Every structure is written in structure tokens, then in C-alpha cells.
Amino acid sequence: MDSYISCCWLVLYLFFDGGSSVTIQGYVGDVVTLTCKYDARHYGTLSVCWGRGHIPNSGCGNEVLRTEGVKVTHRASVRYNLQGDLRAGDVSLTITQAQVKDSGLYGCRVDIPGWFNDQKHHLALVIKPAHETTPEPWIPRESTTVGYPKAQTTTMQTTMGSSVPPDPPTVAIREISARSISVWWSAGFDGNTPITGFHLECKSQSDSWVDGVRGSNILPWERETAINDLRPFYTYNIRMFTKNDMGLSKPSNELTITTKEAAPDGPPQDVKLEALSSHSIRVTWRAPELSFQNGLIRGYQLRYSEYSPQERLPVRVVHLMDGSERFTMNNLQEATKYSVTLHTINSAGLGPSSQELVCSTLTNDDQQHITTTQATTELQTEHSTSTIATTTSSTETWLLVTDSPTQGQRVDDFSTTNPLSNSTTDPTVKLGTEEQSGHLVAILVPVLVLGLLVVMAIIWQFRRTTLKKGNWKILWKNNGFMSFGDSEPAQERPLGC
């Protein structure tokens, strides 16, 4: 009864799957023929392939036999033959000594010249175990002299393999992405009865096989599937069972797979701004929720600029890659509003932006009222520490931003600064300098300007002298005195008085 239901189910599937289809039944040891014909008088002899499973867009999947005209060019087993008249277009597949493992879907593809002209046939083969028979024992008669010897008293019995649950399949990984896993498998011994399907189970590594298991049933001729809607950077366990009419197999080998990272799904939490002085604002935050991180956090991207609801102003981008969850913005304008947003960074890219927050620096008067001597000392210490951290573990860049970054965008897609290092590749990017470098520049610039003025004065004097005479004449020494070309030489005087 169960075999009859399985056959009916196969017929309905093939009917709705499209193309010609038929179901053929046989028994172990039989010779079965799967019919496939085409009009050879119209087309001539054509190439044909037979395969197991559904016919793909090109060729035959799991090919068992192929012909080129009337010549067989490939045969997976000597049990597969073409016994029809190939010149007449009869390319029916004959399987000798049929086995239970031969059960399944077969496809015949006739390569007809032209686009989308191929002729396809689907046939479902069901091979059942041979009936178990127990012949009646031979009973000798008085008038019979031919038969079993009297000494043989055992009952002869023809035994065939009994039906049992199948062996488990062998499962392997095909492909891993951030939110899906593809696996493929090979079936084992079918238990002397056709395999009716497979059952795939997937669970989180932290769960047991009793709770939190996702299961799916798979058709008997399929050998590959994908598990979708998984969490990025998450570890799963996968196993599979084979099914036949006798039940489920034991579980297959167990796979432990970690999905790849994806861009964070959540922004940093609890972002707060605090004005420390008339020229600095402190930003603090916490990492996104663990379920939204989608990987290992490599750092944060902080974007701030003067706040203006009417126009877009240059934005300073700071990459904080030291694991810190605070940053002090220095060298700001007095009594000026600044807007701040934060993004989380992992190896897959940027997460979504935090809500834009606005904070104003203090005025000098406000700072004098709220600052005590102790608070001033603490503020200077914090400012110094923050400055050192900024110059050693963060990179700042001025950018004229027209569009906000999108979630999942890699850091190097919109910034010339590599967030994993403290160097830049674009010479137009202006980086913040350390305090010592600023002092050195302050000393060198006036010296260079003074030297330039001296050189310009000398050149001006030389040119003035040249214009006065028309050309420059060589200097000579006359009677111990230096004289220019436009002066009259002194008269020679005789020696003596």
C-alpha cells in the first residue's frame, strides 16, 4: 500500500513539473526498459543523453548514458543499454539485473537543432524487492524413485534481502555565506527498498537536538540544498537522515559550520555628548547589541561638523581603531553647535548610523563660572590623555560630504583613509598633526619668512644698481678702494711728494 502511494505521489509530481513523464515498476533482477523515442525520419539521427534526476537547462544531470547518432559515447554501467533501433529514433534505456538502488527519476534528452527545441522525457522507476517464497518441502511417494535423497531433511528456502531502514547519508559543505549554508550529500544503502526522501536538521551550536531544531524534508532524488535565513557570524550544527518505507536511518555525520561576517545591523548604543570647554566636546558610547554586531568589532567611525540645518558643511571623519568607547573633539570654535554621528566597523563594512546629536561648546564666561581649580586640573589631564590617544590610534580627515554612508559600505569606499592603519594614500587629505610638530612649525615659519625678506632685499639692491648704469660692470680695486663701473677712476700720482 505504501509503495502504491509513493508511486502515485511521483506521478503527480512529474505531472505538475512539466514535460512528458511516466512511472515504471519492476522487481529486483528484472530487465526494465524506459521508453524514449523521436522522429528520426524527420530529424535524422540525433545525440541523446540519459541522466538521473530532473533534466537541467543543458545536458543531463548525473549522466548514465550518451550517444552521438548511433554510437554510444558514454556508459556509466554495463547494465545500461540501448536495445532499440537507433536509426529509427528508438533510444529507450534498458537496465538489466535491476536493483533497488536503480529506483528514482530518469530523464531522456534529445538534442534537436535550434534554440529551445530539445525533446525531454521524465520517467520514474520503482524497483521493488522480489517476493520472498518458501517452496513446499518435497514429500516422497512410494512410486517415485526420483527426488531428494532421504538423508536430506532440511527445508529448502529461497531468501531475498529483507527490508530494513536505510543507512545514513554522508553530508559535506558546498558553500558558506553570511546568511546561508549550502550542503550536498551521498546516499548509502537504501535498505532493500526505495528511498522516499531525506530529512535535514539544523540547530544553533548552543542548543540541543531536542530543542531549537529546524527541520526540512527533501525529495529522494535531490543531492544538494541550501539552508537560508541564518545569522551572520554564528555557529550551527547540521545533520541528515535517509527515509524509506521502513523508517528513518541513523543520523549522518554532524557538520559544525560558522557563517561569515556581515555588516553590523545596529548602531552604537547610548551615545552621549558633553561640552568640556569652549573648544572641546567629549563623546561616549557603548557597542551595539551582540545580536546586531554580525562579527568582531574592529572599531568605530565618528563623523562631526558644525551644525547647520540649511547647508552641508565639511565633515571631519575619525576612525577609532583602539577599542575605546570615548573620544574628545578638540580645537573647536567657541559657543558653536556641532552635530555628531557614529558607525560601527567590522571586516564586512559599516553598520547603520546612530541618531544625530547636537551639542554646543561653552563660552569663556561659562567655563570660568563652572570650572574650579581641581576640575581644571582633571580636565587638563583628560585632555592630554585624549590628545595622545587621538594621535596614536585614530585618523582624522576633512571631507566635504554630500551623501551619508550606507550600511554595509566598506570603509575604504568613501574615505581615502584606511581605518586599519594611521596612514593615508591621498595627498589632498589634511591630517591632524601632533602638538610637538605644531611647535616646530611655529619656530621654522618666522625664520623662513625673515630669510626670504633678506634675499628679496639683496636682489632689489642689485637690480637698482643695474638699472642705473644699464649693465653691471666688474668691480675692481684702485689704490686700495673698491669702485663701481659708473665712478671715475682716480688719477695716478707719482711716487714721492
Side-chain angles (χ1 to χ4, degrees):
M1 182 64 181
D2 292 338
S3 299
Y4 175 78
I5 295 174
S6 299
C7 294
C8 293
W9 180 82
L10 282 171
V11 172
L12 291 175
Y13 172 81
L14 294 172
F15 176 79
F16 289 105
D17 192 52
S20 58
S21 62
V22 67
T23 300
I24 298 174
Q25 297 185 15
Y27 292 91
V28 172
D30 288 351
V31 176
V32 294
T33 300
L34 308 179
T35 303
C36 181
K37 298 180 179 180
Y38 66 93
D39 189 355
R41 291 180 298 176
H42 178 74
Y43 295 108
T45 55
L46 301 173
S47 298
V48 176
C49 67
W50 279 92
R52 300 200 64 169
H54 186 74
I55 299 175
N57 294 331
S58 175
C60 293
N62 297 322
E63 188 175 89
V64 298
L65 188 142
R66 171 172 285 278
T67 69
E68 297 292 341
V70 296
K71 181 180 179 181
V72 177
T73 59
H74 171 72
R75 191 197 315 266
S77 172
V78 294
R79 297 189 300 112
Y80 298 131
N81 298 280
L82 298 180
Q83 299 182 356
D85 187 355
L86 301 183
R87 299 185 184 277
D90 186 357
V91 289
S92 301
L93 178 65
T94 299
I95 304 177
T96 59
Q97 298 179 356
Q99 303 174 11
V100 175
K101 67 179 182 180
D102 293 327
S103 300
L105 183 67
Y106 288 78
C108 171
R109 186 189 201 104
V110 181
D111 296 334
I112 298 177
W115 288 4
F116 311 110
N117 290 335
D118 291 355
Q119 181 177 319
K120 302 177 185 179
H121 299 279
H122 289 102
L123 303 99
L125 176 63
V126 179
I127 302 298
K128 301 179 179 179
H131 297 290
E132 295 182 3
T133 58
T134 304
E136 296 181 1
W138 179 77
I139 301 176
R141 299 179 183 178
E142 293 182 1
S143 59
T144 302
T145 56
V146 179
Y148 294 114
K150 292 183 180 180
Q152 182 172 347
T153 59
T154 58
T155 300
M156 295 188 64
Q157 182 176 3
T158 303
T159 60
M160 303 297 295
S162 59
S163 298
V164 295
D167 288 346
T170 302
V171 189
I173 301 170
R174 175 75 72 186
E175 185 179 1
I176 303 174
S177 65
R179 301 183 188 275
S180 66
I181 299 173
S182 296
V183 296
W184 67 281
W185 62 92
S186 59
F189 174 60
D190 56 13
N192 291 321
T193 188
I195 293 175
T196 58
F198 299 92
H199 182 71
L200 181 69
E201 291 185 346
C202 176
K203 71 173 185 67
S204 169
Q205 187 180 35
S206 59
D207 295 333
S208 68
W209 287 112
V210 178
D211 302 322
V213 177
R214 296 172 51 181
S216 61
N217 294 316
I218 303 172
L219 296 174
W221 48 80
E222 293 185 356
R223 293 296 182 271
E224 182 176 350
T225 190
I227 307 171
N228 300 312
D229 300 327
L230 302 179
R231 286 177 54 183
F233 200 63
Y234 204 72
T235 303
Y236 294 91
N237 298 128
I238 297 174
R239 68 180 184 181
M240 179 177 278
F241 299 85
T242 304
K243 298 188 295 184
N244 65 8
D245 292 339
M246 303 303 296
L248 285 176
S249 69
K250 294 181 179 179
S252 68
N253 57 304
E254 185 175 312
L255 302 178
T256 300
I257 306 172
T258 300
T259 53
K260 294 184 178 181
E261 293 189 19
D265 286 332
Q269 305 180 86
D270 297 337
V271 182
K272 297 178 181 178
L273 306 181
E274 180 184 0
L276 300 179
S277 68
S278 58
H279 300 288
S280 62
I281 295 176
R282 180 170 57 196
V283 187
T284 59
W285 64 90
R286 292 193 301 110
E289 294 183 14
L290 184 61
S291 59
F292 294 149
Q293 293 181 12
N294 295 343
L296 298 176
I297 294 179
R298 303 297 180 89
Y300 299 91
Q301 185 192 85
L302 186 146
R303 303 165 68 90
Y304 67 96
S305 67
E306 293 185 19
Y307 176 70
S308 175
Q310 290 82 18
E311 59 179 336
R312 294 182 181 272
L313 299 176
V315 175
R316 172 159 286 185
V317 180
V318 184
H319 292 121
L320 305 167
M321 313 305 292
D322 61 349
S324 174
E325 294 183 352
R326 64 171 51 202
F327 179 75
T328 300
M329 305 182 302
N330 297 310
N331 301 321
L332 306 180
Q333 299 295 323
E334 178 185 352
T336 303
K337 291 183 177 180
Y338 288 86
S339 64
V340 177
T341 58
L342 270 172
H343 299 262
T344 307
I345 301 174
N346 65 13
S347 62
L350 282 179
S353 170
S354 64
Q355 182 180 0
E356 182 182 26
L357 298 180
V358 178
C359 181
S360 176
T361 54
L362 303 176
T363 64
N364 288 328
D365 293 338
D366 293 337
Q367 185 175 354
Q368 291 174 0
H369 284 298
I370 66 174
T371 305
T372 63
T373 303
Q374 181 180 1
T376 301
T377 304
E378 294 176 353
L379 179 59
Q380 290 174 350
T381 303
E382 181 180 357
H383 176 73
S384 176
T385 303
S386 179
T387 301
I388 295 174
T390 301
T391 57
T392 58
S393 62
S394 64
T395 305
E396 300 187 22
T397 306
W398 280 108
L399 297 175
L400 183 58
V401 177
T402 57
D403 294 307
S404 299
T406 58
Q407 181 181 357
Q409 187 175 9
R410 299 191 65 84
V411 173
D412 51 7
D413 289 340
F414 55 83
S415 174
T416 57
T417 303
N418 185 353
L420 300 180
S421 66
N422 294 330
S423 62
T424 60
T425 58
D426 191 341
T428 62
V429 176
K430 180 181 178 181
L431 299 178
T433 60
E434 298 183 4
E435 187 176 357
Q436 294 179 354
S437 299
H439 291 312
L440 182 60
V441 172
I443 296 173
L444 290 178
V445 169
V447 174
L448 292 176
V449 172
L450 181 60
L452 182 60
L453 291 176
V454 172
V455 172
M456 292 177 63
I458 294 174
I459 294 175
W460 177 80
Q461 180 63 31
F462 282 179
R463 183 165 180 82
R464 179 172 175 272
T465 304
T466 302
L467 293 176
K468 180 177 180 182
K469 186 64 180 176
N471 61 345
W472 178 258
K473 294 184 179 180
I474 302 176
L475 299 173
W476 69 87
K477 183 176 182 181
N478 186 13
N479 294 330
F481 295 93
M482 295 295 296
S483 177
F484 290 96
D486 57 347
S487 61
E488 293 295 331
Q491 297 295 328
E492 292 186 3
R493 292 186 294 179
L495 295 175
C497 299

